[in-house]
Amino acid sequence: MTIATTESAATAFSQRKYRALKDLQSANLRLNESEWLERRVILSSSPRAIFIQINAVCNADCVFCSKGYDYPIFRLDDYLEKFADQMTPVLRRAERVILTGSGEFLGLPDSPRILRYFNREFPHVEKYIATNASHLKPEIVDLMASGQSRYQLQLSLHASDEETHKLMMRYNAFDRVMGNVKHLMDLRRKSPHLTVNFMFVMTTMNVEKLPEFVRFAKEMGADRCMAGYFYIYEAQQKYLSLYFRQDLANRYIEEARKVAEEIGMPLSLPHKFGMEPGQFQQPDCCSEPWHQMMFNVDGRILPCDVYGNFNESLTEKGFWDIWNGPHYRAIRRALRDRTGCLQTCPRHNPIGINDWRSHVIHRHKDPQQIVKEYNEALRKP
Protein backbone atom coordinates (compact mmCIF):
# COMPACT_ATOMS: atom_id res chain seq x y z
CA MET A 1 0.00 0.00 0.00
CA THR A 2 1.41 3.39 -1.00
CA ILE A 3 1.67 6.40 1.32
CA ALA A 4 -0.99 8.19 -0.75
CA THR A 5 -3.35 5.21 -0.40
CA THR A 6 -2.76 5.08 3.37
CA GLU A 7 -3.47 8.79 3.72
CA SER A 8 -6.62 8.45 1.60
CA ALA A 9 -7.87 5.58 3.78
CA ALA A 10 -7.14 7.55 6.94
CA THR A 11 -9.07 10.55 5.57
CA ALA A 12 -12.02 8.35 4.62
CA PHE A 13 -12.04 6.79 8.11
CA SER A 14 -11.91 10.25 9.67
CA GLN A 15 -14.86 11.40 7.57
CA ARG A 16 -16.89 8.29 8.47
CA LYS A 17 -16.15 8.84 12.16
CA TYR A 18 -17.18 12.49 11.86
CA ARG A 19 -20.48 11.58 10.16
CA ALA A 20 -21.17 8.94 12.83
CA LEU A 21 -20.58 11.51 15.57
CA LYS A 22 -22.86 14.00 13.83
CA ASP A 23 -25.60 11.37 13.55
CA LEU A 24 -25.26 10.56 17.26
CA GLN A 25 -25.40 14.26 18.10
CA SER A 26 -28.42 14.93 15.88
CA ALA A 27 -30.42 12.05 17.37
CA ASN A 28 -29.77 13.34 20.90
CA LEU A 29 -30.68 16.93 19.97
CA ARG A 30 -33.98 15.82 18.45
CA LEU A 31 -34.83 13.77 21.52
CA ASN A 32 -33.74 16.54 23.90
CA GLU A 33 -35.90 19.10 22.10
CA SER A 34 -38.88 16.76 22.18
CA GLU A 35 -38.47 16.12 25.91
CA TRP A 36 -38.09 19.84 26.57
CA LEU A 37 -41.26 20.70 24.64
CA GLU A 38 -43.13 18.00 26.59
CA ARG A 39 -41.58 19.32 29.84
CA ARG A 40 -40.47 15.81 30.80
CA VAL A 41 -39.05 15.60 34.32
CA ILE A 42 -37.01 12.43 33.70
CA LEU A 43 -35.00 12.56 30.47
CA SER A 44 -33.64 9.93 28.09
CA SER A 45 -31.57 12.59 26.32
CA SER A 46 -28.38 14.15 27.66
CA PRO A 47 -27.67 17.92 27.72
CA ARG A 48 -27.13 19.74 24.46
CA ALA A 49 -24.62 22.05 26.21
CA ILE A 50 -21.90 21.00 28.65
CA PHE A 51 -20.24 23.82 30.57
CA ILE A 52 -16.80 22.71 31.79
CA GLN A 53 -15.49 25.29 34.23
CA ILE A 54 -11.86 25.55 33.19
CA ASN A 55 -10.48 27.63 36.04
CA ALA A 56 -7.14 29.39 35.71
CA VAL A 57 -5.08 32.11 37.32
CA CYS A 58 -6.18 35.46 35.89
CA ASN A 59 -3.85 38.22 34.75
CA ALA A 60 -6.60 40.84 35.22
CA ASP A 61 -8.25 42.04 38.42
CA CYS A 62 -11.67 43.10 37.16
CA VAL A 63 -13.69 45.27 39.51
CA PHE A 64 -16.76 43.07 39.00
CA CYS A 65 -14.98 39.74 39.54
CA SER A 66 -16.35 37.14 41.97
CA LYS A 67 -13.03 37.55 43.81
CA GLY A 68 -12.55 33.85 44.41
CA TYR A 69 -8.95 32.66 44.77
CA ASP A 70 -9.60 29.23 46.25
CA TYR A 71 -11.00 27.58 43.13
CA PRO A 72 -9.15 24.55 41.72
CA ILE A 73 -7.02 25.15 38.61
CA PHE A 74 -8.03 22.99 35.66
CA ARG A 75 -5.55 20.32 34.63
CA LEU A 76 -6.32 18.16 31.64
CA ASP A 77 -4.71 15.05 33.14
CA ASP A 78 -6.90 15.37 36.24
CA TYR A 79 -9.99 15.73 34.07
CA LEU A 80 -9.07 12.69 31.98
CA GLU A 81 -8.42 10.58 35.06
CA LYS A 82 -11.53 11.59 37.01
CA PHE A 83 -14.26 12.35 34.50
CA ALA A 84 -13.42 11.40 30.90
CA ASP A 85 -14.85 7.87 31.08
CA GLN A 86 -18.33 9.01 32.10
CA MET A 87 -18.42 12.42 30.38
CA THR A 88 -16.99 11.52 26.94
CA PRO A 89 -20.22 9.76 25.81
CA VAL A 90 -22.21 12.76 27.06
CA LEU A 91 -19.99 15.26 25.25
CA ARG A 92 -20.19 13.28 22.01
CA ARG A 93 -23.95 13.79 21.98
CA ALA A 94 -23.75 17.51 22.85
CA GLU A 95 -24.15 20.44 20.50
CA ARG A 96 -21.79 22.75 22.39
CA VAL A 97 -19.07 22.59 25.04
CA ILE A 98 -18.36 25.78 26.98
CA LEU A 99 -14.69 25.89 28.01
CA THR A 100 -14.72 28.78 30.45
CA GLY A 101 -14.42 29.29 34.20
CA SER A 102 -12.91 31.64 36.75
CA GLY A 103 -9.72 33.28 35.50
CA GLU A 104 -8.26 33.34 32.00
CA PHE A 105 -8.36 29.86 30.45
CA LEU A 106 -6.16 30.76 27.47
CA GLY A 107 -3.44 31.87 29.90
CA LEU A 108 -2.94 28.29 31.07
CA PRO A 109 0.39 26.91 29.77
CA ASP A 110 -1.57 23.77 28.85
CA SER A 111 -4.32 25.58 26.89
CA PRO A 112 -3.04 24.52 23.42
CA ARG A 113 -3.01 20.90 24.55
CA ILE A 114 -6.53 21.25 25.98
CA LEU A 115 -7.82 22.72 22.70
CA ARG A 116 -6.13 19.98 20.67
CA TYR A 117 -7.78 17.35 22.89
CA PHE A 118 -11.29 18.77 22.41
CA ASN A 119 -10.68 19.30 18.68
CA ARG A 120 -9.56 15.69 18.26
CA GLU A 121 -12.18 13.98 20.44
CA PHE A 122 -15.18 16.20 19.67
CA PRO A 123 -14.61 17.76 16.22
CA HIS A 124 -18.39 18.02 15.61
CA VAL A 125 -19.15 19.91 18.84
CA GLU A 126 -19.00 23.72 18.88
CA LYS A 127 -16.53 25.13 21.40
CA TYR A 128 -17.47 28.32 23.26
CA ILE A 129 -14.77 30.28 25.08
CA ALA A 130 -14.91 33.54 27.03
CA THR A 131 -11.57 35.35 27.11
CA ASN A 132 -10.19 38.78 27.96
CA ALA A 133 -8.17 38.52 24.70
CA SER A 134 -4.79 39.04 26.36
CA HIS A 135 -3.62 35.51 25.44
CA LEU A 136 -4.94 35.19 21.90
CA LYS A 137 -1.56 34.14 20.51
CA PRO A 138 -1.19 32.91 16.89
CA GLU A 139 -0.91 29.26 18.02
CA ILE A 140 -4.16 29.56 19.98
CA VAL A 141 -6.05 31.33 17.19
CA ASP A 142 -4.82 28.79 14.63
CA LEU A 143 -6.18 25.92 16.74
CA MET A 144 -9.56 27.62 16.69
CA ALA A 145 -9.61 28.63 13.04
CA SER A 146 -8.27 25.45 11.43
CA GLY A 147 -9.75 21.98 11.25
CA GLN A 148 -13.41 20.96 11.40
CA SER A 149 -14.28 22.44 14.79
CA ARG A 150 -16.41 25.54 15.07
CA TYR A 151 -15.51 28.04 17.77
CA GLN A 152 -17.54 30.86 19.27
CA LEU A 153 -15.49 33.38 21.20
CA GLN A 154 -16.78 35.89 23.71
CA LEU A 155 -14.26 38.71 24.01
CA SER A 156 -14.80 40.15 27.48
CA LEU A 157 -13.62 43.71 26.85
CA HIS A 158 -16.16 45.96 28.66
CA ALA A 159 -14.69 49.11 27.09
CA SER A 160 -13.31 50.35 23.79
CA ASP A 161 -10.99 53.07 25.16
CA GLU A 162 -7.80 52.61 27.16
CA GLU A 163 -8.82 54.59 30.24
CA THR A 164 -12.11 52.74 30.82
CA HIS A 165 -10.57 49.38 29.95
CA LYS A 166 -7.90 49.90 32.60
CA LEU A 167 -10.52 51.09 35.10
CA MET A 168 -12.64 47.97 34.58
CA MET A 169 -9.92 45.33 34.18
CA ARG A 170 -7.25 46.91 36.43
CA TYR A 171 -4.27 45.85 34.37
CA ASN A 172 -2.13 47.52 31.71
CA ALA A 173 -2.78 45.37 28.68
CA PHE A 174 -4.92 47.57 26.42
CA ASP A 175 -2.43 47.79 23.54
CA ARG A 176 -1.76 44.05 23.62
CA VAL A 177 -5.46 43.24 23.82
CA MET A 178 -6.33 45.54 20.92
CA GLY A 179 -3.50 44.08 18.84
CA ASN A 180 -4.76 40.56 19.51
CA VAL A 181 -8.34 41.56 18.71
CA LYS A 182 -7.35 43.13 15.39
CA HIS A 183 -5.35 40.04 14.42
CA LEU A 184 -8.26 37.78 15.37
CA MET A 185 -10.81 39.86 13.45
CA ASP A 186 -8.59 39.90 10.35
CA LEU A 187 -8.57 36.10 10.48
CA ARG A 188 -12.29 36.01 11.31
CA ARG A 189 -13.08 37.60 7.95
CA LYS A 190 -11.41 34.66 6.17
CA SER A 191 -12.47 31.77 8.41
CA PRO A 192 -15.82 29.97 8.36
CA HIS A 193 -15.04 28.38 11.73
CA LEU A 194 -15.01 31.44 14.00
CA THR A 195 -17.83 33.47 15.48
CA VAL A 196 -16.73 36.42 17.61
CA ASN A 197 -18.95 38.30 20.07
CA PHE A 198 -17.88 41.40 22.01
CA MET A 199 -19.01 41.44 25.66
CA PHE A 200 -19.73 44.46 27.86
CA VAL A 201 -20.54 43.95 31.57
CA MET A 202 -22.55 46.99 32.62
CA THR A 203 -21.60 48.75 35.85
CA THR A 204 -21.92 52.26 37.25
CA MET A 205 -18.33 52.87 36.09
CA ASN A 206 -18.72 52.15 32.39
CA VAL A 207 -22.39 52.10 31.33
CA GLU A 208 -22.11 55.54 29.72
CA LYS A 209 -19.62 54.03 27.25
CA LEU A 210 -22.02 51.32 26.04
CA PRO A 211 -23.21 53.13 22.84
CA GLU A 212 -19.57 53.82 21.95
CA PHE A 213 -18.74 50.14 22.51
CA VAL A 214 -21.53 49.10 20.11
CA ARG A 215 -19.96 51.28 17.39
CA PHE A 216 -16.55 49.80 18.17
CA ALA A 217 -17.91 46.25 17.79
CA LYS A 218 -19.33 47.15 14.39
CA GLU A 219 -16.09 48.77 13.22
CA MET A 220 -14.09 45.71 14.28
CA GLY A 221 -16.41 43.29 12.47
CA ALA A 222 -17.86 41.45 15.49
CA ASP A 223 -20.71 39.05 14.82
CA ARG A 224 -22.65 40.33 17.83
CA CYS A 225 -22.33 42.81 20.67
CA MET A 226 -23.56 41.59 24.06
CA ALA A 227 -24.28 43.55 27.24
CA GLY A 228 -25.48 42.39 30.62
CA TYR A 229 -25.86 43.57 34.20
CA PHE A 230 -23.09 43.00 36.70
CA TYR A 231 -23.77 40.41 39.42
CA ILE A 232 -22.82 41.24 43.02
CA TYR A 233 -20.74 38.57 44.76
CA GLU A 234 -19.63 40.59 47.80
CA ALA A 235 -21.53 43.37 49.61
CA GLN A 236 -18.79 45.93 48.98
CA GLN A 237 -19.36 45.59 45.23
CA LYS A 238 -22.84 47.12 45.52
CA TYR A 239 -21.51 50.49 44.33
CA LEU A 240 -21.03 48.95 40.89
CA SER A 241 -24.61 47.74 40.59
CA LEU A 242 -27.00 49.60 38.32
CA TYR A 243 -29.82 48.46 40.56
CA PHE A 244 -29.14 51.71 42.43
CA ARG A 245 -28.86 53.75 39.18
CA GLN A 246 -31.84 52.47 37.26
CA ASP A 247 -32.57 55.63 35.28
CA LEU A 248 -28.94 55.72 34.15
CA ALA A 249 -29.08 52.09 33.06
CA ASN A 250 -32.33 52.57 31.14
CA ARG A 251 -31.01 55.65 29.38
CA TYR A 252 -27.89 53.97 28.00
CA ILE A 253 -29.63 50.71 27.18
CA GLU A 254 -32.00 52.71 25.00
CA GLU A 255 -29.17 54.74 23.44
CA ALA A 256 -27.23 51.56 22.66
CA ARG A 257 -30.32 50.00 21.09
CA LYS A 258 -30.78 53.02 18.81
CA VAL A 259 -27.11 53.01 17.78
CA ALA A 260 -27.27 49.29 16.98
CA GLU A 261 -30.35 49.79 14.81
CA GLU A 262 -28.75 52.76 13.05
CA ILE A 263 -25.51 50.96 12.14
CA GLY A 264 -26.89 47.43 11.74
CA MET A 265 -25.06 45.80 14.65
CA PRO A 266 -26.69 42.70 16.19
CA LEU A 267 -27.02 43.51 19.87
CA SER A 268 -28.14 41.56 22.95
CA LEU A 269 -29.30 43.82 25.78
CA PRO A 270 -30.76 43.14 29.22
CA HIS A 271 -34.29 44.28 30.04
CA LYS A 272 -34.73 47.77 31.38
CA PHE A 273 -35.68 48.51 34.97
CA GLY A 274 -39.23 49.35 35.93
CA MET A 275 -40.98 47.39 33.19
CA GLU A 276 -44.47 46.18 34.07
CA PRO A 277 -45.61 42.63 33.27
CA GLY A 278 -47.81 43.95 30.47
CA GLN A 279 -44.75 45.36 28.65
CA PHE A 280 -43.19 41.99 27.84
CA GLN A 281 -44.12 38.40 27.28
CA GLN A 282 -44.03 36.55 30.58
CA PRO A 283 -41.84 33.42 30.26
CA ASP A 284 -43.57 30.13 30.95
CA CYS A 285 -40.39 28.19 31.68
CA CYS A 286 -36.57 28.08 31.46
CA SER A 287 -34.92 25.48 29.23
CA GLU A 288 -31.51 25.31 30.92
CA PRO A 289 -32.23 22.37 33.30
CA TRP A 290 -33.28 20.43 30.18
CA HIS A 291 -30.50 21.69 27.92
CA GLN A 292 -27.38 22.28 30.04
CA MET A 293 -25.15 21.02 32.83
CA MET A 294 -22.12 22.73 34.38
CA PHE A 295 -19.29 21.07 36.28
CA ASN A 296 -15.79 21.93 37.45
CA VAL A 297 -12.60 19.97 38.03
CA ASP A 298 -13.82 19.13 41.56
CA GLY A 299 -16.85 17.50 39.98
CA ARG A 300 -19.31 19.97 41.48
CA ILE A 301 -22.47 20.44 39.42
CA LEU A 302 -24.54 23.55 38.67
CA PRO A 303 -27.67 23.79 36.49
CA CYS A 304 -26.59 27.26 35.31
CA ASP A 305 -24.12 30.01 36.18
CA VAL A 306 -26.63 32.15 38.14
CA TYR A 307 -28.06 29.31 40.21
CA GLY A 308 -27.47 29.21 43.97
CA ASN A 309 -26.16 26.25 45.94
CA PHE A 310 -26.57 22.85 44.30
CA ASN A 311 -25.13 19.99 46.31
CA GLU A 312 -24.36 17.40 43.64
CA SER A 313 -20.98 16.13 42.50
CA LEU A 314 -19.67 13.77 39.83
CA THR A 315 -17.19 12.46 42.40
CA GLU A 316 -20.09 11.04 44.42
CA LYS A 317 -22.63 10.06 41.75
CA GLY A 318 -22.64 9.15 38.09
CA PHE A 319 -23.85 11.56 35.42
CA TRP A 320 -27.25 9.92 34.91
CA ASP A 321 -27.87 9.65 38.66
CA ILE A 322 -27.48 13.44 38.86
CA TRP A 323 -29.12 14.40 35.55
CA ASN A 324 -32.27 12.47 36.47
CA GLY A 325 -31.78 12.64 40.23
CA PRO A 326 -34.11 14.26 42.79
CA HIS A 327 -32.52 17.75 42.58
CA TYR A 328 -32.78 18.08 38.80
CA ARG A 329 -36.28 16.58 38.86
CA ALA A 330 -37.34 19.14 41.50
CA ILE A 331 -35.96 22.05 39.42
CA ARG A 332 -37.70 20.87 36.25
CA ARG A 333 -40.96 20.31 38.10
CA ALA A 334 -40.87 23.78 39.67
CA LEU A 335 -40.05 25.48 36.38
CA ARG A 336 -42.77 23.55 34.61
CA ASP A 337 -45.15 25.01 37.22
CA ARG A 338 -43.72 28.54 36.69
CA THR A 339 -42.22 28.68 40.16
CA GLY A 340 -38.74 28.20 41.63
CA CYS A 341 -35.73 30.12 40.32
CA LEU A 342 -37.66 31.48 37.32
CA GLN A 343 -39.34 34.05 39.57
CA THR A 344 -36.13 36.03 40.09
CA CYS A 345 -34.03 34.92 37.11
CA PRO A 346 -32.19 37.92 35.63
CA ARG A 347 -31.90 36.28 32.21
CA HIS A 348 -35.17 34.50 31.53
CA ASN A 349 -37.68 36.55 33.49
CA PRO A 350 -37.72 40.29 32.68
CA ILE A 351 -39.66 41.18 35.83
CA GLY A 352 -36.80 39.68 37.85
CA ILE A 353 -34.64 42.68 36.96
CA ASN A 354 -36.69 44.75 39.42
CA ASP A 355 -35.97 42.29 42.24
CA TRP A 356 -32.79 42.82 44.23
CA ARG A 357 -32.27 39.05 44.52
CA SER A 358 -31.70 38.71 40.78
CA HIS A 359 -28.58 40.92 40.99
CA VAL A 360 -26.82 38.93 43.72
CA ILE A 361 -25.03 35.58 43.69
CA HIS A 362 -24.97 33.89 47.12
CA ARG A 363 -23.40 30.58 46.16
CA HIS A 364 -21.50 28.67 48.87
CA LYS A 365 -22.16 31.15 51.68
CA ASP A 366 -23.62 30.43 55.02
CA PRO A 367 -27.16 31.74 55.65
CA GLN A 368 -26.05 34.25 58.32
CA GLN A 369 -23.52 35.75 55.91
CA ILE A 370 -26.18 35.99 53.21
CA VAL A 371 -28.56 37.85 55.54
CA LYS A 372 -25.76 40.17 56.68
CA GLU A 373 -24.70 41.04 53.12
CA TYR A 374 -28.31 41.40 52.02
CA ASN A 375 -29.00 44.01 54.71
CA GLU A 376 -25.69 45.79 54.05
CA ALA A 377 -26.23 45.95 50.32
CA LEU A 378 -29.75 47.31 50.48
CA ARG A 379 -28.51 50.43 52.26
CA LYS A 380 -28.41 53.08 49.64
CA PRO A 381 -24.85 53.69 48.42
Side-chain angles (χ1 to χ4, degrees), residues 7-264:
E7 290 177 349
S8 177
T11 300
F13 174 77
S14 176
Q15 291 173 344
R16 287 198 301 273
K17 179 181 177 182
Y18 185 84
R19 286 196 296 270
L21 289 170
K22 287 293 290 183
D23 289 344
L24 183 68
Q25 178 191 62
S26 297
N28 184 65
L29 295 180
R30 287 194 299 271
L31 179 59
N32 184 255
E33 186 64 15
S34 172
E35 292 180 329
W36 150 242
L37 292 173
E38 294 172 9
R39 302 297 192 265
R40 295 281 186 91
V41 172
I42 297 177
L43 309 183
S44 297
S45 63
S46 52
R48 63 195 311 145
I50 304 292
F51 194 133
I52 303 178
Q53 293 179 278
I54 298 190
N55 298 329
V57 174
C58 195
N59 57 336
D61 185 24
C62 301
V63 294
F64 49 79
C65 180
S66 60
K67 307 301 176 190
Y69 296 98
D70 56 348
Y71 50 76
I73 302 300
F74 182 90
R75 292 179 175 81
L76 181 60
D77 291 334
D78 290 344
Y79 166 81
L80 295 174
E81 179 183 347
K82 296 177 182 177
F83 306 117
D85 286 347
Q86 63 173 314
M87 292 308 297
T88 292
V90 180
L91 279 161
R92 283 178 177 161
R93 293 190 293 268
E95 180 179 39
R96 171 187 285 184
V97 57
I98 299 115
L99 303 173
T100 294
S102 297
E104 176 54 37
F105 158 44
L106 298 182
L108 286 174
D110 219 16
S111 60
R113 180 176 169 234
I114 295 169
L115 294 178
R116 283 193 290 268
Y117 167 76
F118 282 98
N119 283 350
R120 181 181 70 250
E121 296 298 322
F122 314 103
H124 60 303
V125 179
E126 181 187 69
K127 287 82 176 168
Y128 187 104
I129 294 174
T131 172
N132 63 28
S134 62
H135 288 276
L136 282 174
K137 301 171 185 175
E139 178 188 12
I140 295 290
V141 175
D142 186 59
L143 284 168
M144 297 175 181
S146 60
Q148 294 174 302
S149 286
R150 289 196 61 84
Y151 275 83
Q152 187 167 169
L153 298 187
Q154 175 189 299
L155 302 190
S156 300
L157 303 175
H158 320 301
S160 55
D161 64 280
E162 184 172 5
E163 181 181 357
T164 309
H165 185 267
K166 183 176 180 180
L167 187 67
M168 296 298 296
M169 311 289 279
R170 295 196 294 199
Y171 73 145
N172 294 310
F174 183 77
D175 290 340
R176 172 156 52 100
V177 166
M178 288 300 112
N180 289 344
V181 171
K182 288 175 183 175
H183 172 73
L184 173 69
M185 300 314 295
D186 286 342
L187 186 62
R188 162 71 187 90
R189 294 179 181 94
K190 306 170 188 174
S191 173
H193 302 290
L194 281 174
T195 299
V196 182
N197 303 323
F198 284 20
M199 182 67 193
F200 188 101
V201 172
M202 298 162 51
T203 73
T204 55
M205 296 171 67
N206 69 338
V207 68
E208 295 174 0
K209 301 296 184 73
L210 179 56
E212 177 185 317
F213 187 80
V214 174
R215 293 188 185 278
F216 167 71
K218 177 67 174 180
E219 291 167 4
M220 295 297 292
D223 291 278
R224 177 171 291 275
C225 183
M226 303 163 64
Y229 292 117
F230 148 74
Y231 296 127
I232 297 171
Y233 290 88
E234 305 291 345
Q236 61 266 28
Q237 293 177 315
K238 68 179 181 180
Y239 301 101
L240 299 172
S241 177
L242 288 161
Y243 179 84
F244 296 108
R245 301 291 304 279
Q246 296 184 10
D247 289 343
L248 184 71
N250 288 350
R251 173 185 169 188
Y252 284 101
I253 287 173
E254 186 60 24
E255 284 194 23
R257 183 188 63 78
K258 290 178 180 177
V259 168
E261 289 179 354
E262 172 192 327
I263 64 178

Side-chain angles (χ1 to χ4, degrees), residues 305-366:
D305 58 324
V306 295
Y307 199 81
N309 290 333
F310 191 77
N311 296 317
E312 292 281 20
S313 173
L314 288 170
T315 61
E316 299 171 0
K317 297 180 183 178
F319 164 79
W320 286 104
D321 291 332
I322 297 173
W323 184 235
N324 280 325
H327 295 294
Y328 257 104
R329 293 202 308 268
I331 294 172
R332 292 178 189 131
R333 202 173 284 117
L335 289 172
R336 185 184 61 187
D337 298 337
R338 301 191 185 189
T339 60
C341 56
L342 184 63
Q343 294 178 306
T344 57
C345 182
R347 281 207 300 263
H348 297 294
N349 189 353
I351 199 66
I353 295 301
N354 301 323
D355 191 317
W356 168 252
R357 293 172 295 173
S358 71
H359 297 267
V360 184
I361 304 295
H362 282 313
R363 197 176 299 135
H364 303 302
K365 291 183 180 178
D366 110 6

